[in-house]
Amino acid sequence: MNAQASTARAEPTRPAHVGDHLREWRQRRHLSQLDLAVDAEISARHLSFVETGRAAPSRDMVLKLAERLNVPLRERNVLLVAAGFAPAFPQRALDDPALKSARAAIELVLKAHEPNPALAYDRHWNLVTANRMVAPLLEGLPQHLLAPPVNILRLAFHPEALAPRTVNVAEWCGHLLERLHRQCETTADPELLKLYHELRAYPLPARAAPLPPDSVAIPFRLRHGGEVLTFMSTTMVFGTPVDVTLSELALETFFSADDLTAERMRQMAASLK
């Protein structure tokens, strides 16, 4: 099965009741009713009744099944509402006073990561905030691509953005597309599915060869100032979020992968003071 076909089949319908929702998520996770029932410590017969609407699940059961199915917090609220209960997980803007400590933690990580670039983005890969080392790497890009909301995947793929500057564009963008595909399969988010198909349509070269079996990670190699800067990236998420916004937030941190890049980033940071 190719990635495009499987992702296309992840396009969500709008289930009529909580049983339809639960069945969709169970099938998306490739679990049988027996598998889920055993994991949730209920009978397969009762789960079958819940899925067909013959039995109404309690609030605790909805949450338990959602946890076993690794349903995103946003969609757990959808399940609860479909079952007749109030949402359990708040969804607040990042500038909400209740998320002050989370904002401080994000800014601390981004600032501490200098002189290397780091940024935070939401569930649709839209830029939320970044440290000061990101902007210099985006100099010269068209303003229409930098107008909010800035989608960092679109910046990576767009022929007027970073794609022409990326030395290993086939490998790097292929890696990003695989990440997005997995996210589509996990969340069935329609906006992510639209973004996935948009990115697939951009004219990018095919990978020249399979990655070596001893490869640990794919570097990001960017032409900048007549030189090639090489970074390795890591992704950070909140480990135990209880807020929808925080559960969907990710931090991408880039590390200098060679001495040249490390020195150039130090020089760049010094020039920004």
Side-chain angles (χ1 to χ4, degrees):
M1 181 188 301
N2 62 45
Q4 186 174 14
S6 62
T7 303
R9 278 197 281 275
E11 293 271 7
T13 57
R14 302 313 307 168
H17 59 80
V18 66
D20 289 336
H21 283 281
L22 288 168
R23 182 171 56 253
E24 273 199 0
W25 282 108
R26 177 177 60 76
Q27 292 172 345
R28 192 172 291 124
R29 299 296 184 251
H30 306 292
L31 293 173
S32 68
Q33 284 185 340
L34 181 59
D35 291 332
L36 178 57
V38 169
D39 194 28
E41 299 178 329
I42 61 175
S43 72
R45 184 169 184 267
H46 185 53
L47 177 59
S48 175
F49 281 9
V50 169
E51 288 190 357
T52 58
R54 295 176 64 185
S58 67
R59 182 178 184 275
D60 287 344
M61 179 176 288
V62 172
L63 290 172
K64 187 174 186 178
L65 291 171
E67 182 179 356
R68 296 300 188 274
L69 290 168
N70 194 28
V71 176
L73 296 192
R74 178 183 298 273
E75 297 303 320
R76 294 187 196 191
N77 281 342
V78 172
L79 287 171
L80 286 167
V81 171
F85 303 107
F89 305 99
Q91 181 182 348
R92 294 164 286 209
L94 197 57
D95 59 1
D96 190 291
L99 298 184
K100 181 179 179 180
S101 60
R103 286 198 312 278
I106 293 167
E107 294 301 328
L108 178 64
V109 171
L110 298 184
K111 177 65 177 176
H113 198 64
E114 294 180 3
N116 289 312
L119 50 87
Y121 56 92
D122 64 18
R123 66 190 176 115
H124 294 143
W125 295 75
N126 291 321
L127 182 66
V128 174
T129 186
N131 68 12
R132 62 194 184 126
M133 305 310 300
V134 171
L137 301 178
L138 304 180
E139 287 179 353
L141 296 190
Q143 284 304 306
H144 71 90
L145 292 175
L146 298 177
V150 177
N151 187 277
I152 62 175
L153 286 185
R154 191 172 289 115
L155 286 184
F157 281 73
H158 201 285
E160 296 179 56
L162 295 180
R165 304 183 186 183
T166 304
V167 175
N168 59 334
V169 63
E171 290 74 20
W172 178 246
C173 287
H175 156 70
L176 293 177
L177 197 63
E178 288 168 1
R179 285 177 59 182
L180 178 59
H181 176 256
R182 290 194 298 269
Q183 194 177 357
C184 289
E185 291 288 293
T186 300
T187 66
D189 186 309
E191 289 301 314
L192 287 177
L193 291 166
K194 285 172 58 179
L195 180 61
Y196 175 82
H197 290 297
E198 174 192 335
L199 299 182
R200 280 182 59 91
Y202 285 120
L204 295 176
R207 290 179 179 175
L211 293 174
D214 59 348
S215 295
V216 175
I218 297 175
F220 173 44
R221 305 186 66 215
L222 181 70
R223 295 185 186 90
H224 186 269
E227 299 174 320
V228 176
L229 305 181
T230 304
F231 300 96
M232 304 298 288
S233 71
T234 62
T235 306
M236 302 169 58
V237 296
F238 283 90
T240 54
V242 293
D243 180 276
V244 172
T245 299
L246 292 182
S247 74
E248 297 172 344
L249 195 70
L251 277 67
E252 198 84 8
T253 54
F254 293 84
F255 295 83
S256 298
D258 56 31
D259 293 340
L260 170 66
T261 304
E263 178 60 23
R264 292 297 179 265
M265 296 311 297
R266 285 192 292 266
Q267 294 172 355
M268 197 180 298
S271 71
L272 295 174
K273 291 180 180 179

